[in-house]
Amino acid sequence: MPGNIWINCSEASGDMYAGALAGELLRLDPQLEIGGLGGRMLALGGAKVHFPMTRLCFAGFIDVLRGLPGIFRLHREIVRAWKRSRPDVVVMIDCPDFNLPLAKAAHAMGIPVLYFIAPQFWAWKQQGLNTLRRCVRSTLCALPFEPSFLRGKGCRSAYGGHPLLDVIPLQRLDRITPDRYQVGIMPGSRKKEVAFLLPEFAEAAARLHREMPWIFFSIARAPGISRRYLRRFWPDGVPAVIVEPDERFEMIRRSGMVLAASGTATLETGLIGTPTIVAYKIDPPAAYLLRRLATSKWISLTNILFREELFPEYLQERATADNCHAQMAAWLNDPGMLLNIRNKLQELRRIAGPSGGIRFAAETILAQRKGERQ
């Protein structure tokens, strides 16, 4: 009888990991049936997407409040799907606010739960550690300091390296020579993020282009964000190409620098080796709550791993065109600054390593499934 694995992911980065994980699971066991909540990448990995992750596409406090009825409805629908076709293992990827209540439901049904990409409890004062401790068999961590943190809280955890080291074709990208006059723009994977950040990035780009007309820009389009939506915020007369999601790694490598919304993108740029200006802005109520809950000094994963602000961070009221423009101009006028950052970034792959995190996760999931069936 073929195995039945359920994977839950709800945003672009999680979908990327879910797709890679599904592909590796099927490579190791082609008879598996994989389904779940996710997007295009999970489907490309060979899974059946029972529920599209677009049903959970919220950014900001007000959006989440308005979406609560739909969130609760989706929760009930997933549990009903498990009752109809009971999974051998449920795999949660990131998004603890949605996934941990489902982990509790799966645990109550006697279904083993594994967490891939640990919730970042070390960065936020969050509820949920008790659920993680009681209801999750093991948390497969992506960052090297997470296992000891979680074990200190009584949670079972393991570390196999960051999955981006498997997802990004680093050896091929290393052969590409960056162009110091190309600036990459990564304004986020949600419409609200783009609406808050891209106008600031665009104004900074327009000023820089007036001062240095030879500068050109590449904008990374995230899944679920249309070209028309991006163009709405970009000024006429400023040269820019829109890069498709599958081409963003090459765009990052070819760029002399990147302007990026905080998130997985800022670790992607770090591993690829491109200096990055990090910005983030959300609605004021959500910003107020996050500031009260935050415990980490930095927001970029590259900075967190280096334990210093290698990538300049501009958050909320500091996420302005003035600050982004000033930082880009400073780097362009002093190429030595960019070279120093690139040299420092050569250490990041070792810090985030080893590679093989996707295979490690797949083998752990299959071992759990076999253990349950014995």
Side-chain angles (χ1 to χ4, degrees), residues 92-366:
M92 303 298 190
I93 298 181
D94 210 351
C95 199
D97 292 339
F98 182 76
N99 278 331
L100 284 175
L102 278 170
K104 189 183 295 186
H107 178 71
M109 295 169 66
I111 302 171
V113 179
L114 296 181
Y115 222 113
F116 184 43
I117 314 298
Q120 295 180 347
F121 290 126
W122 47 268
W124 309 98
K125 299 173 187 174
Q126 295 183 43
Q127 301 298 317
L129 269 170
N130 286 336
T131 302
L132 194 72
R133 182 166 47 245
R134 289 189 301 105
C135 302
V136 175
R137 296 285 179 94
S138 183
T139 300
L140 310 178
C141 301
L143 300 174
F145 57 82
E146 289 176 330
S148 60
F149 171 84
L150 290 174
R151 288 176 196 140
K153 303 295 183 181
C155 302
R156 294 172 292 276
S157 61
Y159 175 65
H162 202 287
L164 276 180
L165 291 167
D166 303 318
V167 171
I168 302 174
L170 292 169
Q171 290 187 338
R172 176 168 62 81
L173 294 177
D174 286 344
R175 295 194 289 270
I176 298 173
T177 301
D179 185 339
R180 62 175 292 203
Y181 298 123
Q182 175 173 327
V183 176
I185 307 286
M186 303 183 75
S189 59
R190 298 184 177 96
K191 284 190 172 182
K192 267 286 183 68
E193 291 173 338
V194 173
F196 276 123
L197 282 176
L198 191 52
E200 302 294 342
F201 289 172
E203 175 59 26
R207 294 183 197 176
L208 192 68
H209 182 65
R210 286 195 294 269
E211 297 163 357
M212 304 177 183
W214 51 89
I215 300 292
F216 63 100
F217 302 88
S218 300
I219 307 169
R221 183 184 73 79
I225 304 292
S226 70
R227 287 172 166 262
R228 178 178 297 180
Y229 191 74
L230 293 174
R231 288 290 183 191
R232 182 189 303 180
F233 302 102
W234 195 258
D236 295 333
V238 179
V241 296
I242 294 177
V243 174
E244 293 302 299
D246 294 344
E247 299 169 349
R248 74 183 183 283
F249 295 145
E250 286 78 5
M251 182 275 282
I252 292 169
R253 179 61 183 178
R254 292 185 190 282
S255 298
M257 68 180 74
V258 170
L259 277 175
S262 177
T264 303
T266 64
L267 184 56
E268 292 175 354
T269 61
L271 291 170
I272 291 170
T274 304
T276 302
I277 298 163
V278 181
Y280 205 71
K281 185 185 288 190
I282 51 179
D283 59 66
Y288 173 79
L289 285 175
L290 290 180
R291 278 179 167 151
R292 291 183 64 87
L293 294 172
T295 58
S296 176
K297 188 175 180 180
W298 303 286
I299 193 169
S300 162
L301 286 172
T302 291
N303 289 344
I304 288 166
L305 286 170
F306 274 118
R307 300 183 181 181
E308 65 174 282
E309 193 170 322
L310 187 67
F311 288 172
E313 295 186 355
Y314 299 112
L315 310 180
Q316 209 55 23
E317 65 276 357
R318 298 184 67 234
T320 63
D322 286 343
N323 285 333
C324 293
H325 167 262
Q327 187 64 65
M328 285 193 293
W331 278 354
L332 284 166
N333 289 321
D334 186 353
M337 294 173 66
L338 288 174
L339 181 59
N340 288 339
I341 295 171
R342 287 186 181 277
N343 289 338
K344 181 85 172 180
L345 288 172
Q346 292 178 13
E347 284 292 300
L348 186 59
R349 297 178 194 178
R350 179 188 61 79
I351 295 170
S355 60
I358 296 291
R359 183 182 178 89
F360 174 78
E363 290 175 343
T364 304
I365 292 163
L366 291 177

Side-chain angles (χ1 to χ4, degrees), residues 24-46:
E24 182 65 13
L25 284 165
L26 289 169
R27 190 187 70 80
L28 295 173
D29 185 351
Q31 301 303 311
L32 279 176
E33 294 178 1
I34 303 175
L37 165 73
R40 172 176 169 268
M41 298 306 293
L42 179 58
L44 287 175

